Amino acid sequence: MLSEKFFNVLLLFILLMTTIFTDLPFFPEKTVTHSFTFIIASIIFLLIFIKNNLSLKLNYITKLFIIYMSISLMFSIILLLIVFLKTGSLYVYGKNILVKIFEAFFSLFLLHFMVYYLFLQLVKDLPLKTIKNLILLIYFFLTFTALIEYSNPDILNSFHSLPKEYDRLRLFTMEPSHAGLLYGIYATLSFFFVKNLYFKMLLLFCSLIVELFIGSKGLFLAILSTIIFLLIKNIFNIRYMIIFFILLLILGFITLNYIIPSILMDILEFTSFATRASGIISAFYILLFYPIGTGLGTYLYFYPEILYQSSNLLNEIFMKLFNIPLNLSEVISIITTGENIGSKSGIFQSIVLTGWTGVFFWFLLYKKVKSYIDSLHISKYDRLILKFIILMTLIQLTVGSEYTLLYVIWLPISIIEKLYITGGKRVE
């Protein structure tokens, strides 16, 4: 029994470590190979599958995942046939869209399903204290990494596919938006597990400093939006209002003095705002005119024109409202070359590929996780922390980060399910 527990702890630790190193310099032409998760998760999944007598232990979310994957793959095959009948070819931008379907299916659907399933299977039988210690270990490791990177920005370049060309921290991830959410998830989980007030304050202080140096604008807006939402939902609780109001003042000061000026600079001088905003508009366009999405591979055929129209509409809006032309050079490059086609945020990318199916998946996932949290026999304060981490993650995936390599997003969900299964027993 002891050896089985040790084995599960070891597997969980290895899997957690793969969520940290997501920009390794191996096979840079394929995004999924920037992390060893695709290898490690496949091996562990096979081991657990064999251990469970070649069967999957299904719950609501795993069933939801399987339905989402199946419907998305079916619609993608239908769209593939439509494109082939229209063009007589399976190639767009020189890429085989049949191959792209299965690449996207593995990296965006099957691999994330395996990671979620493994997290759940590994944490559900482990003591909460063990999970707490693993989370804290990785949190302090990331904090120490941030300190090293801040002191010597080039010291981590060997863990990356490309050298860093900016001052913000990225830890072991591809970009600050990934680093911000990765660190934010481990920081918030650590904050949940730690019960000592002074230790909590230390965690909060260190986490805000590190997030400030990471400088993910989208994450700060996601955190601010989450706090405002929770403040409104708990407006009649004086204690929570005071806590949220203090956080709101701190984050509001950071947003007004750092985030908004940075966003304005992006709008005026850089391409990131125009590209992300065009991707968001394109998702709404797809919901109206492509209800089943543009397909896991056939998006290469359908999406460029949609992105072009969306970017033009966005530029017209800014010209009429502010008389400011947007820098659409990145959008034009994407459409011309076919490289990096897609929305730059995870949930909108799901909508681009799968249409209303993606909307229903994320909505039903949120509703189920929220119901788990609401039913936990823990304090209202602890429930607020869990709601915070889920809302923050979903908002960041909506406006700030794509999620191909963000396997860590499934960790808090699996821990919440573990708490639901065990009744939410506190960790001391």
Side-chain angles (χ1 to χ4, degrees):
M1 197 69 181
L2 180 63
S3 60
E4 182 178 349
K5 177 187 172 184
F6 176 78
F7 186 63
N8 286 343
V9 172
L10 179 62
L11 291 181
L12 179 58
F13 176 73
I14 293 172
L15 190 60
L16 288 173
M17 290 303 291
T18 68
T19 68
I20 295 172
F21 296 91
T22 56
D23 191 29
L24 296 172
F26 304 109
F27 308 104
E29 67 279 1
K30 300 293 184 182
T31 302
V32 72
T33 58
H34 286 242
S35 167
F36 286 140
T37 305
F38 78 102
I39 297 174
I40 299 298
S42 300
I43 294 171
I44 298 176
F45 186 85
L46 182 61
L47 290 174
I48 291 181
F49 187 61
I50 294 173
K51 178 187 173 184
N52 292 335
N53 299 318
L54 305 182
S55 64
L56 292 176
K57 295 183 179 181
L58 301 180
N59 61 3
Y60 178 91
I61 294 179
T62 51
K63 290 176 183 177
L64 181 65
F65 236 125
I66 291 171
I67 293 170
Y68 178 45
M69 292 191 297
S70 302
I71 293 175
S72 300
L73 185 59
M74 179 186 67
F75 283 155
S76 295
I77 298 298
I78 292 171
L79 289 168
L80 175 71
L81 294 174
I82 292 172
V83 171
F84 181 72
L85 291 173
K86 288 180 67 175
T87 66
S89 173
L90 290 178
Y91 286 84
V92 180
Y93 291 111
K95 300 174 182 177
N96 188 310
I97 53 178
L98 178 60
V99 173
K100 292 295 291 184
I101 284 177
F102 289 103
E103 286 180 350
F105 178 76
F106 176 75
S107 62
L108 294 174
F109 293 80
L110 184 59
L111 185 53
H112 277 267
F113 167 75
M114 286 195 295
V115 172
Y116 159 72
Y117 182 82
L118 292 176
F119 274 146
L120 180 59
Q121 295 306 310
L122 291 172
V123 304
K124 71 181 181 67
D125 295 325
L126 289 177
L128 281 171
K129 189 172 183 179
T130 301
I131 298 168
K132 167 190 173 181
N133 291 336
L134 285 174
I135 297 295
L136 286 172
L137 176 65
I138 293 180
Y139 168 77
F140 285 118
F141 173 69
L142 289 174
T143 304
F144 183 65
T145 300
L147 177 62
I148 293 174
E149 186 180 359
Y150 178 77
S151 303
N152 188 344
D154 298 325
I155 198 169
L156 301 181
N157 280 346
S158 58
F159 293 97
H160 291 279
S161 56
L162 294 171
K164 188 166 66 171
E165 298 177 350
Y166 43 80
D167 294 331
R168 295 179 294 161
L169 305 184
R170 58 177 177 172
L171 304 178
F172 298 108
T173 69
M174 277 184 131
E175 57 185 48
S177 66
H178 282 202
L181 185 56
L182 173 78
Y183 186 81
I185 287 174
Y186 279 110
T188 311
L189 285 174
S190 299
F191 195 80
F192 170 77
F193 279 119
V194 168
K195 301 308 173 186
N196 183 278
L197 179 60
Y198 297 107
F199 198 1
K200 277 183 180 289
M201 293 301 102
L202 178 63
L203 285 174
L204 181 60
F205 176 77
C206 291
S207 301
L208 285 174
I209 294 298
V210 172
E211 290 290 7
L212 187 60
F213 287 134
I214 290 173
S216 171
K217 298 180 288 293
L219 183 69
F220 271 103
L221 293 176
I223 293 173
L224 198 61
S225 301
T226 303
I227 289 174
I228 291 172
F229 177 81
L230 293 176
L231 182 62
I232 293 171
K233 294 286 286 185
N234 295 274
I235 196 167
F236 297 110
N237 190 307
I238 301 300
R239 180 186 174 190
Y240 298 149
M241 279 188 67
I242 293 172
I243 295 171
F244 282 129
F245 186 69
I246 292 171
L247 288 173
L248 195 61
L249 285 177
I250 296 171
L251 291 168
F253 174 81
I254 294 172
T255 301
L256 288 174
N257 288 276
Y258 297 99
I259 306 303
I260 292 178
S262 182
I263 291 174
L264 291 175
M265 184 177 293
D266 278 351
I267 294 173
L268 294 173
E269 299 182 17
F270 300 107
T271 61
S272 58
F273 174 83
T275 305
R276 289 183 184 275
S278 297
I280 292 171
I281 292 176
S282 70
F284 289 103
Y285 183 96
I286 285 168
L287 288 177
L288 288 173
F289 300 105
Y290 294 81
I292 65 172
T294 59
L296 302 185
T298 48
Y299 72 92
L300 290 172
Y301 176 81
F302 293 107
Y303 190 63
E305 178 62 25
I306 296 170
L307 182 62
Y308 175 74
Q309 293 178 4
S310 300
S311 64
N312 281 343
L313 174 61
L314 179 68
N315 195 47
E316 288 178 14
I317 291 172
F318 267 78
M319 285 297 295
K320 288 181 180 178
L321 292 178
F322 311 110
N323 197 30
I324 298 175
L326 295 175
N327 187 342
L328 298 175
S329 59
E330 185 179 8
V331 173
I332 294 170
S333 175
I334 289 171
I335 295 169
T336 304
T337 64
E339 297 297 324
N340 302 314
I341 291 181
S343 177
K344 300 303 179 183
S345 61
I347 291 179
F348 281 124
Q349 178 70 353
S350 296
I351 295 172
V352 166
L353 299 177
T354 64
W356 282 100
T357 309
V359 174
F360 291 134
F361 170 76
W362 290 105
F363 176 75
L364 293 174
L365 177 69
Y366 168 72
K367 293 290 288 184
K368 191 62 177 180
V369 175
K370 182 178 178 296
S371 72
Y372 285 151
I373 297 172
D374 287 335
S375 64
L376 293 178
H377 299 296
I378 57 178
S379 69
K380 291 182 180 179
Y381 178 70
D382 284 336
R383 281 204 292 271
L384 275 175
I385 296 174
L386 294 177
K387 288 180 181 179
F388 173 86
I389 194 172
I390 295 301
L391 280 171
M392 175 193 71
T393 300
L394 291 178
I395 293 173
Q396 173 68 354
L397 291 179
T398 302
V399 299
S401 296
E402 56 84 32
Y403 69 91
T404 306
L405 295 167
L406 280 172
Y407 307 109
V408 72
I409 63 177
W410 306 110
L411 178 60
I413 294 175
S414 65
I415 290 175
I416 288 167
E417 284 199 75
K418 191 265 192 317
L419 291 169
Y420 174 75
I421 293 169
T422 60
K425 184 181 177 182
R426 290 176 64 88
V427 182
E428 300 299 340

